[in-house]
Amino acid sequence: MAIDTLNPNYCRSKGEQIALNVDGACADETSTYSSKLMDKQTFCSSQTTSNTSRYAAALYRQGELHLTPLHGILQLRPSFSYLDKADAKHREREAANEAGDSSQDEAEEDVKQITVRFSRPESEQARQRRVQSYEFLQKKHAEEPWVHLHYHGLRDSRSEHERQYLLCQGSSGVENTELVKSPSEYLMMLMPPSQEEEKDKPVAPSNVLSMAQLRTLPLADQIKILMKNVKVMPFANLMSLLGPSVDSVAVLRGIQKVAMLVQGNWVVKSDILYPKDSSSPHSGVPAEVLCRGRDFVMWKFTQSRWVVRKEVAAVTKLCTEDVKDFLEHMAVVRINKGWEFILPYDGEFIKKHPDVVQRQHMLWTGIQAKLEKVYNLVKEAMPKKPDGQSGPVGLVSGDQRVQVAKRQAQQNHALLERELQRRKEQLQASAVLPGVRIKEEPMSEEGEDEEEREAEDEEEPMDTSPGGGLHGGLANGLPAGRAAGGDSFNGHPPSGSASTPVARELRAFVQATFQKQFVLTLSELKRLFNLHLASLPPGHMLFSGISDRMLQDTVLAAGCKQILVPFPPQTAASPDEQKVFALWESGDISDQHRQVLLEIFSKNYRVRRNMIQARLTQECGEDLSKQEVDKVLKDCCVSYGGMWYLKGTVQS
C-alpha cells in the first residue's frame, strides 16, 4: 500500500534513512524502494479462524437486513521484513570491509583444511520433522509468488458495483420461499450446528487453548486437552471449565483415564505428556524412562507435601533438567525446604467420592510395587500414609535404621519398664474377670503418636490393601497373632453372651453402620470399626478386643446376609475384600428391590444397568421409575466403565 509522503506528518529524512539502510546507495531493479524513499508499506494476511460458516457480512438498507455468507476471513497486518533486509545489508558491508582489510595484509590465502561429510538417506520420520519445522515453513512462505492486483478505493465505481452484490436481488421477500419460515427455523438455517470432520478441526498451538474450539470436541478430548495444558487441577475447577450442563459422573469416568489422584487433586498421567516413541528434549532419554521417573515424583507427593529434588535425581538417575520439569508440573519450590505440592489437600473430594479414592489407591499400590522393583527401594523406608499427611521420608540404609533403633531403645527403657508392669496388672485383672479382657490405651509416647495417627486417618481415603488398616499389623485392634487365634482371646462369644455389654455395644455399631451403608466388605467394615475405636475414650469396653469371627457373627445376627459374589479367578482382592455383607431388611419400601439386586450379584460379578432394570421389573411386577432404580443402585452399587459392581468389589 502506498504511503502519502506529502502528508505533513510524514518524516522525509526518516523515510530516506530507511530506504538507504534497506537498498544501499545504488538502486537497481531489486531495490525495495526505487524512489530512494520509504513510500510504501507491506501488509501480510493471516487466517483469523478456520470455521467461517457461522459468520456473515451484513448490510442494512431501507429497513432490511441483507446477509451474505463468508467463505474466508483474512486479517492484514503490517510486515516489517524490510528491517531484516537492512540488517542483512549491514552484515554484508561489515564482511566486505573485513575481507578487504585481510587481503591487504596477506599476499595469498592460507590453505585451510576442510571436513567433508556425506549426508545419510533421510528417514521418513526425519523428513516429517523437517517439513513441520519453523525454518521450512518460513522458506516455503518466502517462495510463494506475489500476485499483483489493482486496488480500488472505497468510493471507486468498481467498488460500488461489487457492493451491490451484497444486496438481495429479489424485489420482495415473498418470492424467496426459504424466508417464509418460523424465526427458529430461519435461525437454524442461518447458524446450522457445527458438523466438522476430524481432519478439518483446527489444531491450536500447544501453549494456546481456545475454549470456543474446545467445547466443539467430545467430552473425553476436552478433559484430555485441559489436563495436558494445566497439568494439575481440582475436580471442582475442571467442572467449572467444562460448563454446568456436563454430567459429573461422565467427567469422573473420563478424568480417571488421563489423570491420577494426588492429595485429592488430579494430576495428568505421565504417558499423556510423554507419549510412546518420544524422548526428553534435554537428555534424549526415552519416554518410558521419563514416565517412570515422573510417576515416582507423583507417588512421592501422595505420601508427603514435600519432595527434595536431589533425592528424586538420586533414585531415578535422570538429569537435573528432566527432574526439574517433573517438579514444575505439580509443585513450587520453597527456599531451604524443597518442592511443595502446588495445590492444597482437597478433603472435600475425598469425602464425597470414596469409591473413586479406593480405586485410585489400588492403582497407586500397583505403581508403588513397580517402583520398588525398578528402583530397588527398601520397603521399610517407604512411607505408608497416603495423601501427604506426614513429612518427607527419605531412603535410609539398614545400618542407619539399626543405630536409630538402638538409640530409641535406650531412651525409652524406663517407659518400656512401666509398660511391662502395666501389662502384668492387666493379666492379673483378666484372671479375676476371665470373660472380659480390658485393653488399656498405652501411655507411652508411641501410643500417643498412634492415637494421633488414627485421628488423622479419619480424614484420609479408605485403605483396602490387606493388613493396611489403621493399625498396620492389627486385626480389629488386636495383634495379628492373637486375632488369628479366634475365640481364645475375647473372640466369639459363648452361648448366652449376646446380652453382654460388649456384644450389645458391638451390635449397635454394626446396625448403625449398615443403616448408612447397605453393602460392606469385611475389609471395609474392619476399617470403619477401627475408626470408631479411635473416636472412643480410653478404657471403653470395645477396647477389650474384637476378633474377626465375632465381628462377622454380629453382622449376621443383626439381620445382614453374606453375598457370595463370584469374583473373577485373576482378582487381586484379599480374602477380607471378597467377604461381602449386605443389610437384608431395613424396614423401608426399597427392601424388595435391594433383595432382587443382591440376588443378581450373587450370580454375577458385574452387571449392566439394562439387565438390572429388566430383572427388577420382572420380579417386582411393576414398571419402576428411573428415580427408584437410581436409589437402589446408589445404596448398593458403584459404576465403573459402563458396568455396575457391588460396593467394595470393583477391581481396576
Side-chain angles (χ1 to χ4, degrees):
M1 303 292 293
I3 297 178
D4 184 9
T5 58
L6 301 179
N7 191 291
N9 295 323
Y10 181 81
C11 181
R12 191 173 185 84
S13 61
K14 191 66 175 178
E16 292 175 350
Q17 182 64 42
I18 292 176
L20 179 63
N21 293 341
V22 173
D23 298 328
C26 56
D28 52 19
E29 295 180 354
T30 61
S31 298
T32 304
Y33 304 111
S34 56
S35 62
K36 295 185 179 182
L37 187 69
M38 183 181 177
D39 55 358
K40 59 185 176 182
Q41 172 70 51
T42 302
F43 291 86
C44 285
S45 61
S46 61
Q47 191 174 7
T48 58
T49 179
S50 59
N51 180 16
T52 58
S53 62
R54 302 171 66 87
Y55 296 90
L59 190 64
Y60 186 77
R61 178 169 295 183
Q62 297 179 357
E64 298 176 344
L65 183 65
H66 300 260
L67 299 176
T68 304
L70 299 180
H71 298 286
I73 302 176
L74 297 178
Q75 182 179 11
L76 291 175
R77 295 180 178 178
S79 172
F80 301 98
S81 57
Y82 61 86
L83 297 177
D84 298 332
K85 292 183 179 180
D87 293 340
K89 290 281 185 181
H90 179 68
R91 286 193 294 268
E92 289 176 2
R93 285 194 293 268
E94 287 185 347
N97 293 335
E98 293 177 359
D101 295 339
S102 60
S103 62
Q104 295 176 3
D105 298 337
E106 300 177 1
E108 60 182 12
E109 294 183 359
D110 295 337
V111 178
K112 296 182 180 179
Q113 181 180 358
I114 62 174
T115 302
V116 179
R117 295 182 179 178
F118 295 93
S119 61
R120 293 180 296 179
E122 187 179 32
S123 64
E124 181 63 22
Q125 186 177 7
R127 190 190 69 81
Q128 292 180 357
R129 285 199 300 266
R130 180 176 59 81
V131 170
Q132 296 176 358
S133 65
Y134 177 76
E135 291 79 9
F136 182 84
L137 295 177
Q138 286 294 101
K139 181 180 178 182
K140 186 177 179 181
H141 179 72
E143 292 174 353
E144 184 179 349
W146 283 95
V147 178
H148 295 278
L149 303 175
H150 181 69
Y151 175 74
H152 297 274
L154 182 64
R155 304 300 179 187
D156 191 271
S157 59
R158 178 65 182 272
S159 299
E160 291 287 349
H161 177 73
E162 291 292 335
R163 196 176 295 115
Q164 294 300 317
Y165 288 110
L166 297 178
L167 299 175
C168 181
Q169 302 302 317
S171 58
S172 65
V174 179
E175 297 178 3
N176 192 340
T177 57
E178 290 186 355
L179 296 180
V180 188
K181 295 182 180 294
S182 65
S184 59
E185 291 175 334
Y186 180 65
L187 186 62
M188 185 63 67
M189 292 173 56
L190 181 63
M191 297 180 63
S194 177
Q195 297 179 350
E196 295 180 339
E197 296 183 0
E198 189 70 25
K199 62 181 181 180
D200 296 328
K201 289 180 179 178
V203 179
S206 59
N207 61 337
V208 177
L209 190 62
S210 169
M211 296 303 294
Q213 294 179 358
L214 182 70
R215 288 183 176 152
T216 64
L217 302 175
L219 179 61
D221 293 340
Q222 293 185 45
I223 297 173
K224 182 177 180 180
I225 293 175
L226 282 171
M227 292 306 304
K228 190 174 181 180
N229 279 267
V230 182
K231 307 293 190 305
V232 185
M233 192 186 308
F235 185 73
N237 289 16
L238 179 62
M239 290 299 300
S240 64
L241 289 174
L242 294 175
S245 61
V246 180
D247 182 19
S248 62
V249 177
V251 177
L252 271 176
R253 191 180 301 116
I255 190 66
Q256 295 181 70
K257 297 178 182 178
V258 297
M260 295 291 292
L261 192 65
V262 178
Q263 299 191 23
N265 302 281
W266 291 98
V267 181
V268 65
K269 287 184 176 179
S270 301
D271 55 1
I272 302 296
L273 295 180
Y274 304 107
K276 192 177 180 182
D277 298 330
S278 63
S279 59
S280 167
H282 305 294
S283 59
V285 172
E288 181 182 359
V289 180
L290 291 176
C291 290
R292 194 161 55 231
R294 188 173 180 273
D295 286 345
F296 177 75
V297 174
M298 292 170 62
W299 173 80
K300 290 288 289 181
F301 277 120
T302 66
Q303 313 300 315
S304 172
R305 289 286 304 173
W306 300 89
V307 166
V308 180
R309 179 178 57 81
K310 290 183 179 179
E311 177 188 340
V312 175
V315 173
T316 60
K317 303 298 189 293
L318 292 172
C319 69
T320 304
E321 290 78 8
D322 287 333
V323 175
K324 190 175 180 182
D325 281 351
F326 300 159
L327 293 170
E328 287 177 344
H329 290 168
M330 62 191 85
V332 291
V333 65
R334 306 295 186 193
I335 299 175
N336 297 329
K337 289 186 177 181
W339 291 78
E340 184 184 13
F341 192 68
I342 194 169
L343 294 177
Y345 181 84
D346 192 352
E348 182 179 352
F349 179 86
I350 297 294
K351 294 178 182 178
K352 191 175 181 181
H353 303 281
D355 53 334
V356 176
V357 175
Q358 176 187 7
R359 196 175 303 121
Q360 289 291 311
H361 177 74
M362 294 169 63
L363 292 175
W364 276 121
T365 303
I367 293 175
Q368 175 180 339
K370 188 185 300 182
L371 294 174
E372 289 177 1
K373 183 177 180 181
V374 172
Y375 293 132
N376 297 322
L377 302 178
V378 182
K379 285 190 177 182
E380 289 79 357
M382 304 284 281
K384 294 185 178 181
K385 290 189 64 181
D387 283 322
Q389 296 295 322
S390 61
V393 180
L395 300 178
V396 185
S397 65
D399 292 339
Q400 290 175 328
R401 285 196 298 275
V402 171
Q403 295 297 328
V404 171
K406 286 181 178 180
R407 287 196 299 269
Q408 289 180 348
Q410 293 172 357
Q411 294 172 357
N412 298 332
H413 179 72
L415 296 173
L416 293 175
E417 287 290 341
R418 290 200 299 270
E419 180 68 18
L420 179 61
Q421 183 64 27
R422 188 179 301 105
R423 294 199 178 190
K424 289 180 180 180
E425 296 174 357
Q426 184 178 340
L427 290 174
Q428 294 174 0
S430 64
V432 178
L433 299 173
V436 178
R437 179 168 182 173
I438 299 174
K439 177 186 172 186
E440 296 181 356
E441 286 298 288
M443 300 304 293
S444 62
E445 294 179 358
E446 292 96 343
E448 295 173 357
D449 292 341
E450 185 178 30
E451 287 184 21
E452 293 174 1
R453 289 197 298 271
E454 290 174 357
E456 291 175 2
D457 284 341
E458 290 185 27
E459 299 298 326
E460 293 182 5
M462 65 181 68
D463 183 1
T464 58
S465 59
L470 290 171
H471 294 277
L474 303 184
N476 284 343
L478 292 181
R482 296 182 180 178
D487 302 343
S488 61
F489 182 78
N490 196 25
H492 183 59
S495 60
S497 64
S499 60
T500 62
V502 175
R504 288 198 299 270
E505 189 73 20
L506 181 60
R507 180 162 182 165
F509 161 75
V510 170
Q511 290 175 338
T513 302
F514 275 93
Q515 285 293 339
K516 297 177 182 177
Q517 304 187 41
F518 292 91
V519 178
L520 286 172
T521 62
L522 179 58
S523 173
E524 175 65 6
L525 181 61
K526 288 161 63 176
R527 188 188 75 87
L528 295 175
F529 181 65
N530 285 328
L531 287 176
H532 180 63
L533 287 178
S535 65
L536 297 177
H540 193 275
M541 64 180 68
L542 286 181
F543 280 109
S544 58
I546 305 297
S547 69
D548 289 357
R549 182 175 177 181
M550 182 177 182
L551 186 62
Q552 294 179 62
D553 289 345
T554 305
V555 170
L556 297 176
C560 300
K561 288 189 178 182
Q562 184 172 357
I563 310 300
L564 301 178
V565 179
F567 282 82
Q570 69 276 15
T571 181
S574 65
D576 284 353
E577 291 173 336
Q578 295 186 36
K579 293 182 180 180
V580 184
F581 297 92
L583 182 61
W584 196 251
E585 293 183 356
S586 64
D588 60 11
I589 58 175
S590 300
D591 280 348
Q592 183 183 3
H593 304 158
R594 277 194 295 269
Q595 292 170 9
V596 173
L597 182 66
L598 295 173
E599 289 177 358
I600 295 175
F601 280 102
S602 65
K603 300 177 182 178
N604 302 275
Y605 173 61
R606 56 182 182 179
V607 189
R608 293 192 178 275
R609 182 190 174 100
N610 55 3
M611 176 181 174
I612 297 174
Q613 180 94 32
R615 183 68 180 275
L616 286 172
T617 304
Q618 176 184 353
E619 294 293 335
C620 299
E622 54 181 325
D623 190 9
L624 299 179
S625 65
K626 181 178 181 298
Q627 290 77 11
E628 291 175 318
V629 177
D630 288 344
K631 181 182 183 305
V632 176
L633 291 176
K634 183 179 179 182
D635 290 343
C636 305
C637 304
V638 292
S639 174
Y640 180 67
M643 305 293 290
W644 288 89
Y645 303 77
L646 275 186
K647 287 184 178 179
T649 63
V650 61
Q651 304 291 320
S652 299

